[in-house]
Amino acid sequence: MKLNDGLIAALLTVFALALLAHVADFPDMPGQAFGPSLLPSLVAVGLILCSIALAVGALRASPRHPLVEWDGWVKQPRKVLALLAVIGAVAFYIAFSETLGFLIAAPLVLLVVLRACGTGWLAAIPLAAIVPLGIHYIFYTLLKVALPWGLLTEFAW
């Protein structure tokens, strides 16, 4: 799928304006000329400048391109299903990771995504069981990221 540069510019502008509106409520730092809103505001201004450049390029483009061009994969149900499975898996993780915990939700999500992408059961099940343990070790133990324990809270280490 290809998006027209003008459409991307419009989406970036909307995102940048939403970012500016959000960081406007950040509190000032006492005794400093700038606060925590400075960096996100600079990023938002940069995005707006990039949006302007993209929009100008889109207006100058010849020939004009449609807003959206669909690639051939969109006509293949298996690939569309894989895309929907990934989106659904991420939504499931967001909705249930606190309740279930990382060590339960992540293997379920990974198993669904692997199967939707065509991985056989023989490879998908061990991968879904082992990879989240490795990710948990790296993030929870080494990087000290507080991953949710959910149902396994009483077994947390």
Side-chain angles (χ1 to χ4, degrees), residues 10 65 92 94 124 129 153:
H65 298 287
F92 173 84
I94 291 169
T153 300

Side-chain angles (χ1 to χ4, degrees), residues 26-44:
F26 285 9
D28 291 331
M29 297 293 290
Q32 291 189 353
F34 57 88
S37 65
L38 177 65
L39 182 61
S41 297
L42 291 175
V43 169

Side-chain angles (χ1 to χ4, degrees), residues 1 14 21 26 51-52 74 93 95 113 126-127 135 137:
M1 176 173 73
V14 168
F26 285 9
S51 298
I52 293 169
V74 177
Y93 184 82
V113 170
L127 281 172
I135 292 170
Y137 175 75

Side-chain angles (χ1 to χ4, degrees), residues 61-144:
S62 180
R64 300 273 184 221
H65 298 287
L67 288 180
V68 178
E69 290 181 41
W70 297 101
D71 291 332
W73 69 267
V74 177
K75 296 174 184 158
Q76 298 176 19
R78 177 127 178 114
K79 291 185 178 179
V80 173
L81 177 66
L83 172 67
L84 294 175
V86 169
I87 294 169
V90 170
F92 173 84
Y93 184 82
I94 291 169
F96 296 105
S97 63
E98 289 293 327
T99 305
L100 296 176
F102 178 83
L103 290 174
I104 295 174
L108 294 173
V109 164
L110 188 54
L111 182 63
V112 167
V113 170
L114 286 170
R115 288 293 300 146
C117 291
T119 305
W121 286 106
L122 195 59
I125 290 174
L127 281 172
I130 295 169
V131 169
L133 291 173
I135 292 170
H136 187 273
Y137 175 75
I138 291 168
F139 281 89
Y140 188 78
T141 305
L142 299 179
L143 298 175
K144 306 293 185 203

Side-chain angles (χ1 to χ4, degrees), residues 9-24:
L11 293 173
L12 276 178
T13 301
V14 168
F15 175 73
L17 292 174
L19 180 60
L20 283 173
H22 178 69
V23 301

